[in-house]
Amino acid sequence: MIEVKELRRSFGPVTAVDGISFQADKGEVLGLLGPNGAGKTTAMRMLACFITPDSGTASVEGFDILQNPVEVRCRLGYLAENSPAYGEMTVGGFLNFVCDARGINGTKRKQALDRIVPMCSINSVYHQTIDTLSKGYKRRVGLAQALIHDPEVLILDEPTDGLDPNQKHDVRLLINQMGKDKCIIISTHILEEVEAICSRTIIISEGRILADSTPSELKEKYQCSLDEVFRKITRKKSN
Amino acid sequence: MQSFWAVFKRELKSYFTTPLAYVFLVIFLFFSGYLAFKQGFFEARQADLRVFFMNLPLLYVFMVPSTAMRLWAEERKTGSIELLFTLPITITQAVLGKFFAAWIFLGIALALTFPMVITVYYLGNPDTGLIIAGYLGSWLTAGGFLAIGCFFSTISKNQVISFVLSVVACAVLVFAGMPTTLNYLSSFLPAGLVSTIESMSIRQHFESIQKGVLEFKDIAFFVVLIIGWISASTIVLDERKAA
């Protein structure tokens, strides 16, 4: 469903993503793991067609990110790093705007809203202005926005960032449920999260892929906890 | 088309959910009326809106950039641009949606000056065609300035910078057509160049529409102005949206 080929992007002298390639299929929850500044967000932004790669390409459900960016975005649910939204709008107004933009109208819209609002537990803040929400609620509104068209492919940049332990648990449960019949890529630097939800993990550092395996395989190979595996792999590179 | 309407609707609504629209409307209506009365609206003893329309371009030099500055600068500052451009919306649709929402908003502001129209109809027998032409010219001028403001809003995250730059750009277009400027320029520039500068200024085309003569060249001037700056915004935004 997602195919990434030699994706490369630099900002001035800094190479953020340095030729990464991987594939992800339906039923997979792929965790992009890496230290800060490893290129996770840049890679995800390129997949969501927000920034264009310097070279290389990728495709989502067969649509190329360079040739058919609008088709890709139609099929993709994307939650950006700080869950950006229009602060002056109410949650309801904002979700209706997203429906407008995605062409979800009439009864379909009502169904979508009825499904998504309880799913992300934002019923209580539905009529509240987004600016007045706490970080956790903002994140959930962002998640609702990404899921509203029930996409086959989901890209979530640190989906549990800023949530309290209960909410984290709920979101992980949600991702686990959806992971069965969708293709999900999440980025994180919380290792317990990887063990809890990811069926496969890619460790990247300084824009390159250092490991592509399942969490349990990694643990077996290095004979230690995922924590230590992460340290070993990413430190080895910088030394 | 559906994406264009989504952006347009959201944008137009957002003017009225924030105090922005109300502050803008009050200030605009106050000054448009004040300037007209101060410059002898009654003293002229003529039932027309010439004095009223005459002042609008100058007022727009400050008022339109204040509407336009937030269009993209705010979007980039808050990061909502990342949301906008990961929805199935193209840059052209988004730029046009925002531009037309702001233009319609300026049209609403202009329409709210209707008490001036009622006044002249109450006092005498004004030429309706002239009033319509006056409003059309003013709205086109607002659109031209808005396109300029839209462009300067794309080049910086900082609203103040985009405001100042677009005020300067709009002022140049207005003052290039002033008789004093043209007299000064003709003291050292060849006549051909001076008349080129004159015909590139807003003032000449605005006044010619004010006279009630709808000429192709005047309408074309505004259309080209708008299309040019809007296309420039699209190109800049494509390059720098993530920067």
Side-chain angles (χ1 to χ4, degrees):
Chain A
M1 290 194 118
I2 297 182
E3 205 177 347
V4 180
K5 279 180 235 140
E6 284 296 308
L7 219 49
R8 188 167 280 139
R9 167 80 197 211
S10 53
F11 298 100
V14 185
T15 307
V17 172
D18 195 4
I20 59 168
S21 312
F22 62 85
Q23 278 189 1
D25 290 312
K26 194 171 170 164
E28 244 180 330
V29 180
L30 176 64
L32 281 186
L33 202 60
N36 290 329
K40 304 185 293 278
T41 299
T42 308
M44 290 183 142
R45 282 182 170 174
M46 285 193 280
L47 276 179
C49 310
F50 180 58
I51 50 181
T52 45
D54 293 337
S55 68
T57 185
S59 64
V60 174
E61 288 193 51
F63 290 98
D64 192 274
I65 57 165
L66 295 169
Q67 258 109 52
N68 281 316
V70 173
E71 292 294 328
V72 171
R73 291 174 190 166
C74 281
R75 284 162 178 77
L76 199 81
Y78 176 65
L79 173 66
E81 202 173 3
N82 302 311
S83 39
Y86 292 102
E88 80 278 0
M89 297 177 99
T90 62
V91 174
F94 175 67
L95 291 179
N96 273 302
F97 160 67
V98 176
C99 286
D100 276 343
R102 292 202 176 274
I104 307 169
N105 297 313
T107 49
K108 267 197 185 154
R109 174 176 307 197
K110 206 182 162 295
Q111 280 166 4
L113 287 173
D114 285 345
R115 180 178 58 89
I116 212 75
V117 171
M119 193 161 139
C120 300
S121 32
I122 45 175
N123 321 47
S124 58
V125 293
Y126 192 75
H127 296 288
Q128 219 169 309
T129 325
I130 293 177
D131 265 342
T132 64
L133 298 180
S134 67
K135 198 176 172 189
Y137 271 115
K138 266 188 203 162
R139 204 90 191 114
R140 284 192 258 169
V141 172
L143 204 57
Q145 163 276 125
L147 295 172
I148 200 151
H149 54 300
D150 199 16
E152 292 288 296
V153 179
L154 268 174
I155 295 183
L156 310 172
D157 201 349
E158 299 186 5
T160 57
D161 186 39
L163 300 181
D164 68 36
N166 291 339
Q167 295 166 346
K168 269 188 188 156
H169 176 78
D170 292 347
V171 169
R172 283 174 196 166
L173 216 62
L174 192 67
I175 293 176
N176 264 335
Q177 271 168 21
M178 292 188 304
K180 289 182 194 108
D181 43 37
K182 290 188 198 304
C183 173
I184 305 178
I185 297 186
I186 66 162
S187 83
T188 183
H189 43 238
I190 310 168
L191 292 158
E192 51 175 87
E193 194 159 287
V194 178
E195 290 190 272
I197 54 178
C198 297
S199 58
R200 194 177 129 205
T201 172
I202 288 182
I203 298 182
I204 57 175
S205 180
E206 290 166 27
R208 290 170 187 280
I209 295 184
L210 300 182
D212 181 351
S213 183
T214 65
S216 49
E217 263 176 27
L218 277 176
K219 276 196 287 190
E220 222 163 90
K221 188 176 162 197
Y222 288 84
Q223 288 296 319
C224 54
S225 73
L226 207 55
D227 228 30
E228 283 168 72
V229 173
F230 180 74
R231 246 191 319 267
K232 271 184 188 163
I233 292 178
T234 52
R235 287 253 171 91
K236 194 166 60 188
K237 164 86 184 175
S238 48
N239 285 339
Chain B
M1 209 50 197
Q2 118 218 338
S3 322
F4 167 83
W5 283 114
V7 176
F8 175 83
K9 233 168 74 181
R10 197 207 73 76
E11 198 67 20
L12 194 58
K13 255 193 218 161
S14 86
Y15 282 103
F16 294 95
T17 50
T18 57
L20 185 90
Y22 306 101
V23 172
F24 180 90
L25 288 176
V26 168
I27 303 284
F28 174 74
L29 293 176
F30 173 76
F31 277 104
S32 62
Y34 173 77
L35 289 173
F37 286 118
K38 192 167 172 283
Q39 296 187 353
F41 176 67
F42 287 126
E43 286 83 344
R45 307 192 71 77
Q46 272 177 16
D48 63 24
L49 288 173
R50 207 184 51 82
V51 209
F52 167 72
F53 288 128
M54 210 176 63
N55 289 306
L56 282 182
L58 211 53
L59 191 58
Y60 276 149
V61 166
F62 295 98
M63 295 305 280
V64 175
S66 73
T67 333
M69 67 180 185
R70 53 175 284 282
L71 286 180
W72 291 104
E74 194 182 33
E75 195 97 27
R76 283 175 49 187
K77 189 129 201 163
T78 60
S80 50
I81 192 163
E82 188 171 354
L83 173 95
L84 191 65
F85 288 130
T86 48
L87 291 171
I89 296 173
T90 64
I91 291 181
T92 317
Q93 287 166 339
V95 169
L96 289 179
K98 272 176 178 269
F99 173 78
F100 278 104
W103 204 13
I104 294 290
F105 173 67
L106 291 172
I108 294 173
L110 198 59
L112 286 177
T113 60
F114 69 92
M116 301 297 286
V117 182
I118 297 177
T119 311
V120 288
Y121 270 100
Y122 180 73
L123 293 174
N125 265 322
D127 182 341
T128 309
L130 220 51
I131 291 179
I132 293 173
Y135 272 111
L136 180 71
S138 305
W139 193 54
L140 284 173
T141 308
F145 287 176
L146 190 64
I148 294 173
C150 181
F151 171 78
F152 284 108
S153 180
T154 57
I155 63 168
S156 169
K157 265 186 200 177
N158 189 321
Q159 299 201 19
V160 178
I161 292 177
S162 53
F163 175 74
V164 172
L165 289 176
S166 37
V167 167
V168 171
C170 296
V172 166
L173 277 184
V174 171
F175 285 106
M178 294 277 188
T180 38
T181 321
L182 292 173
N183 281 343
Y184 171 69
L185 288 179
S186 58
S187 66
F188 58 92
L189 286 179
L193 208 55
V194 174
S195 80
T196 310
I197 292 175
E198 192 187 0
S199 49
M200 284 207 290
S201 79
I202 287 260
R203 200 174 180 82
Q204 203 199 24
H205 302 281
F206 180 72
E207 272 171 10
S208 133
I209 296 178
Q210 294 305 307
K211 286 175 193 139
V213 198
L214 287 183
E215 270 189 273
F216 175 73
K217 69 176 167 78
D218 296 323
I219 304 289
F221 171 80
F222 286 105
V223 172
V224 170
L225 189 72
I226 291 171
I227 293 180
W229 286 96
I230 287 290
S231 321
S233 318
T234 316
I235 294 164
V236 171
L237 209 57
D238 197 18
E239 289 287 312
R240 309 184 37 130
K241 63 185 176 198

PDB file of all heavy atoms in Angstrom, chain B residues 203-219:
ATOM      1  N   ARG B 203      -4.633  55.119 -10.027  1.00  0.00           N
ATOM      2  CA  ARG B 203      -5.411  56.342 -10.023  1.00  0.00           C
ATOM      3  C   ARG B 203      -6.086  56.625 -11.370  1.00  0.00           C
ATOM      4  O   ARG B 203      -7.280  56.908 -11.422  1.00  0.00           O
ATOM      5  CB  ARG B 203      -4.500  57.505  -9.641  1.00  0.00           C
ATOM      6  CG  ARG B 203      -5.252  58.688  -9.148  1.00  0.00           C
ATOM      7  CD  ARG B 203      -4.305  59.760  -8.657  1.00  0.00           C
ATOM      8  NE  ARG B 203      -5.099  60.893  -8.199  1.00  0.00           N
ATOM      9  CZ  ARG B 203      -5.651  60.948  -7.007  1.00  0.00           C
ATOM     10  NH1 ARG B 203      -5.477  59.963  -6.168  1.00  0.00           N
ATOM     11  NH2 ARG B 203      -6.374  61.995  -6.664  1.00  0.00           N
ATOM     12  N   GLN B 204      -5.282  56.517 -12.435  1.00  0.00           N
ATOM     13  CA  GLN B 204      -5.831  56.849 -13.739  1.00  0.00           C
ATOM     14  C   GLN B 204      -7.031  55.962 -14.094  1.00  0.00           C
ATOM     15  O   GLN B 204      -8.063  56.445 -14.528  1.00  0.00           O
ATOM     16  CB  GLN B 204      -4.734  56.702 -14.791  1.00  0.00           C
ATOM     17  CG  GLN B 204      -5.027  57.513 -16.014  1.00  0.00           C
ATOM     18  CD  GLN B 204      -4.247  57.038 -17.199  1.00  0.00           C
ATOM     19  OE1 GLN B 204      -3.827  55.869 -17.255  1.00  0.00           O
ATOM     20  NE2 GLN B 204      -4.043  57.917 -18.139  1.00  0.00           N
ATOM     21  N   HIS B 205      -6.857  54.664 -13.856  1.00  0.00           N
ATOM     22  CA  HIS B 205      -7.925  53.726 -14.227  1.00  0.00           C
ATOM     23  C   HIS B 205      -9.126  53.874 -13.303  1.00  0.00           C
ATOM     24  O   HIS B 205     -10.271  53.778 -13.728  1.00  0.00           O
ATOM     25  CB  HIS B 205      -7.372  52.306 -14.192  1.00  0.00           C
ATOM     26  CG  HIS B 205      -6.213  52.131 -15.101  1.00  0.00           C
ATOM     27  ND1 HIS B 205      -6.356  51.960 -16.448  1.00  0.00           N
ATOM     28  CD2 HIS B 205      -4.882  52.144 -14.854  1.00  0.00           C
ATOM     29  CE1 HIS B 205      -5.163  51.862 -17.004  1.00  0.00           C
ATOM     30  NE2 HIS B 205      -4.254  51.980 -16.060  1.00  0.00           N
ATOM     31  N   PHE B 206      -8.833  54.111 -12.044  1.00  0.00           N
ATOM     32  CA  PHE B 206      -9.898  54.291 -11.064  1.00  0.00           C
ATOM     33  C   PHE B 206     -10.750  55.498 -11.438  1.00  0.00           C
ATOM     34  O   PHE B 206     -11.977  55.427 -11.490  1.00  0.00           O
ATOM     35  CB  PHE B 206      -9.273  54.481  -9.674  1.00  0.00           C
ATOM     36  CG  PHE B 206     -10.271  54.682  -8.567  1.00  0.00           C
ATOM     37  CD1 PHE B 206     -11.057  53.628  -8.131  1.00  0.00           C
ATOM     38  CD2 PHE B 206     -10.428  55.925  -7.971  1.00  0.00           C
ATOM     39  CE1 PHE B 206     -11.972  53.800  -7.112  1.00  0.00           C
ATOM     40  CE2 PHE B 206     -11.341  56.106  -6.949  1.00  0.00           C
ATOM     41  CZ  PHE B 206     -12.119  55.045  -6.521  1.00  0.00           C
ATOM     42  N   GLU B 207     -10.078  56.611 -11.753  1.00  0.00           N
ATOM     43  CA  GLU B 207     -10.828  57.834 -12.068  1.00  0.00           C
ATOM     44  C   GLU B 207     -11.607  57.697 -13.364  1.00  0.00           C
ATOM     45  O   GLU B 207     -12.710  58.234 -13.498  1.00  0.00           O
ATOM     46  CB  GLU B 207      -9.884  59.037 -12.111  1.00  0.00           C
ATOM     47  CG  GLU B 207      -9.761  59.617 -10.708  1.00  0.00           C
ATOM     48  CD  GLU B 207      -8.700  60.675 -10.565  1.00  0.00           C
ATOM     49  OE1 GLU B 207      -8.160  61.118 -11.601  1.00  0.00           O
ATOM     50  OE2 GLU B 207      -8.414  61.038  -9.416  1.00  0.00           O
ATOM     51  N   SER B 208     -11.025  56.975 -14.304  1.00  0.00           N
ATOM     52  CA  SER B 208     -11.726  56.820 -15.571  1.00  0.00           C
ATOM     53  C   SER B 208     -13.006  55.996 -15.387  1.00  0.00           C
ATOM     54  O   SER B 208     -14.040  56.279 -15.997  1.00  0.00           O
ATOM     55  CB  SER B 208     -10.763  56.235 -16.607  1.00  0.00           C
ATOM     56  OG  SER B 208     -11.342  55.191 -17.287  1.00  0.00           O
ATOM     57  N   ILE B 209     -12.964  54.997 -14.484  1.00  0.00           N
ATOM     58  CA  ILE B 209     -14.195  54.239 -14.183  1.00  0.00           C
ATOM     59  C   ILE B 209     -15.166  55.129 -13.410  1.00  0.00           C
ATOM     60  O   ILE B 209     -16.382  55.093 -13.632  1.00  0.00           O
ATOM     61  CB  ILE B 209     -13.870  52.949 -13.391  1.00  0.00           C
ATOM     62  CG1 ILE B 209     -13.020  52.008 -14.233  1.00  0.00           C
ATOM     63  CG2 ILE B 209     -15.148  52.225 -12.971  1.00  0.00           C
ATOM     64  CD1 ILE B 209     -12.612  50.734 -13.540  1.00  0.00           C
ATOM     65  N   GLN B 210     -14.653  55.978 -12.530  1.00  0.00           N
ATOM     66  CA  GLN B 210     -15.499  56.910 -11.762  1.00  0.00           C
ATOM     67  C   GLN B 210     -16.344  57.798 -12.656  1.00  0.00           C
ATOM     68  O   GLN B 210     -17.430  58.207 -12.292  1.00  0.00           O
ATOM     69  CB  GLN B 210     -14.640  57.841 -10.889  1.00  0.00           C
ATOM     70  CG  GLN B 210     -13.891  57.164  -9.781  1.00  0.00           C
ATOM     71  CD  GLN B 210     -14.795  56.382  -8.887  1.00  0.00           C
ATOM     72  OE1 GLN B 210     -15.767  56.904  -8.387  1.00  0.00           O
ATOM     73  NE2 GLN B 210     -14.500  55.119  -8.720  1.00  0.00           N
ATOM     74  N   LYS B 211     -15.772  58.112 -13.843  1.00  0.00           N
ATOM     75  CA  LYS B 211     -16.505  58.999 -14.751  1.00  0.00           C
ATOM     76  C   LYS B 211     -17.675  58.275 -15.396  1.00  0.00           C
ATOM     77  O   LYS B 211     -18.433  58.858 -16.157  1.00  0.00           O
ATOM     78  CB  LYS B 211     -15.554  59.542 -15.831  1.00  0.00           C
ATOM     79  CG  LYS B 211     -14.614  60.596 -15.275  1.00  0.00           C
ATOM     80  CD  LYS B 211     -13.613  61.031 -16.345  1.00  0.00           C
ATOM     81  CE  LYS B 211     -12.492  61.828 -15.700  1.00  0.00           C
ATOM     82  NZ  LYS B 211     -11.183  61.464 -16.269  1.00  0.00           N
ATOM     83  N   GLY B 212     -17.790  56.998 -15.120  1.00  0.00           N
ATOM     84  CA  GLY B 212     -18.905  56.244 -15.665  1.00  0.00           C
ATOM     85  C   GLY B 212     -18.604  55.618 -17.010  1.00  0.00           C
ATOM     86  O   GLY B 212     -19.477  55.060 -17.659  1.00  0.00           O
ATOM     87  N   VAL B 213     -17.333  55.707 -17.432  1.00  0.00           N
ATOM     88  CA  VAL B 213     -16.965  55.110 -18.717  1.00  0.00           C
ATOM     89  C   VAL B 213     -16.297  53.777 -18.438  1.00  0.00           C
ATOM     90  O   VAL B 213     -15.225  53.731 -17.841  1.00  0.00           O
ATOM     91  CB  VAL B 213     -15.956  56.001 -19.479  1.00  0.00           C
ATOM     92  CG1 VAL B 213     -15.922  55.618 -20.946  1.00  0.00           C
ATOM     93  CG2 VAL B 213     -16.294  57.462 -19.297  1.00  0.00           C
ATOM     94  N   LEU B 214     -16.967  52.676 -18.815  1.00  0.00           N
ATOM     95  CA  LEU B 214     -16.358  51.374 -18.603  1.00  0.00           C
ATOM     96  C   LEU B 214     -15.580  50.996 -19.851  1.00  0.00           C
ATOM     97  O   LEU B 214     -16.129  50.494 -20.820  1.00  0.00           O
ATOM     98  CB  LEU B 214     -17.415  50.319 -18.293  1.00  0.00           C
ATOM     99  CG  LEU B 214     -18.057  50.394 -16.904  1.00  0.00           C
ATOM    100  CD1 LEU B 214     -19.019  49.249 -16.728  1.00  0.00           C
ATOM    101  CD2 LEU B 214     -17.002  50.378 -15.813  1.00  0.00           C
ATOM    102  N   GLU B 215     -14.269  51.250 -19.812  1.00  0.00           N
ATOM    103  CA  GLU B 215     -13.460  50.937 -20.982  1.00  0.00           C
ATOM    104  C   GLU B 215     -12.742  49.631 -20.755  1.00  0.00           C
ATOM    105  O   GLU B 215     -12.385  49.287 -19.622  1.00  0.00           O
ATOM    106  CB  GLU B 215     -12.440  52.050 -21.216  1.00  0.00           C
ATOM    107  CG  GLU B 215     -12.969  53.154 -22.114  1.00  0.00           C
ATOM    108  CD  GLU B 215     -11.859  54.103 -22.487  1.00  0.00           C
ATOM    109  OE1 GLU B 215     -11.618  55.039 -21.713  1.00  0.00           O
ATOM    110  OE2 GLU B 215     -11.230  53.869 -23.537  1.00  0.00           O
ATOM    111  N   PHE B 216     -12.474  48.932 -21.853  1.00  0.00           N
ATOM    112  CA  PHE B 216     -11.802  47.640 -21.743  1.00  0.00           C
ATOM    113  C   PHE B 216     -10.458  47.781 -21.042  1.00  0.00           C
ATOM    114  O   PHE B 216     -10.108  47.001 -20.175  1.00  0.00           O
ATOM    115  CB  PHE B 216     -11.615  47.033 -23.136  1.00  0.00           C
ATOM    116  CG  PHE B 216     -10.814  45.761 -23.116  1.00  0.00           C
ATOM    117  CD1 PHE B 216     -11.364  44.590 -22.620  1.00  0.00           C
ATOM    118  CD2 PHE B 216      -9.496  45.746 -23.553  1.00  0.00           C
ATOM    119  CE1 PHE B 216     -10.628  43.425 -22.573  1.00  0.00           C
ATOM    120  CE2 PHE B 216      -8.750  44.584 -23.494  1.00  0.00           C
ATOM    121  CZ  PHE B 216      -9.315  43.419 -23.004  1.00  0.00           C
ATOM    122  N   LYS B 217      -9.709  48.841 -21.410  1.00  0.00           N
ATOM    123  CA  LYS B 217      -8.352  48.948 -20.864  1.00  0.00           C
ATOM    124  C   LYS B 217      -8.347  49.122 -19.345  1.00  0.00           C
ATOM    125  O   LYS B 217      -7.443  48.652 -18.671  1.00  0.00           O
ATOM    126  CB  LYS B 217      -7.565  50.059 -21.550  1.00  0.00           C
ATOM    127  CG  LYS B 217      -8.034  51.473 -21.257  1.00  0.00           C
ATOM    128  CD  LYS B 217      -7.095  52.473 -21.929  1.00  0.00           C
ATOM    129  CE  LYS B 217      -7.630  53.869 -21.971  1.00  0.00           C
ATOM    130  NZ  LYS B 217      -7.596  54.683 -20.838  1.00  0.00           N
ATOM    131  N   ASP B 218      -9.376  49.772 -18.816  1.00  0.00           N
ATOM    132  CA  ASP B 218      -9.410  49.983 -17.375  1.00  0.00           C
ATOM    133  C   ASP B 218      -9.736  48.687 -16.639  1.00  0.00           C
ATOM    134  O   ASP B 218      -9.114  48.340 -15.644  1.00  0.00           O
ATOM    135  CB  ASP B 218     -10.442  51.057 -17.018  1.00  0.00           C
ATOM    136  CG  ASP B 218     -10.060  52.388 -17.601  1.00  0.00           C
ATOM    137  OD1 ASP B 218      -8.846  52.680 -17.626  1.00  0.00           O
ATOM    138  OD2 ASP B 218     -10.947  53.123 -18.060  1.00  0.00           O
ATOM    139  N   ILE B 219     -10.751  47.980 -17.156  1.00  0.00           N
ATOM    140  CA  ILE B 219     -11.099  46.698 -16.538  1.00  0.00           C
ATOM    141  C   ILE B 219      -9.914  45.740 -16.665  1.00  0.00           C
ATOM    142  O   ILE B 219      -9.526  45.076 -15.703  1.00  0.00           O
ATOM    143  CB  ILE B 219     -12.349  46.086 -17.225  1.00  0.00           C
ATOM    144  CG1 ILE B 219     -13.524  47.060 -17.181  1.00  0.00           C
ATOM    145  CG2 ILE B 219     -12.719  44.752 -16.594  1.00  0.00           C
ATOM    146  CD1 ILE B 219     -14.150  47.290 -15.836  1.00  0.00           C
TER     147      ILE B 219
END
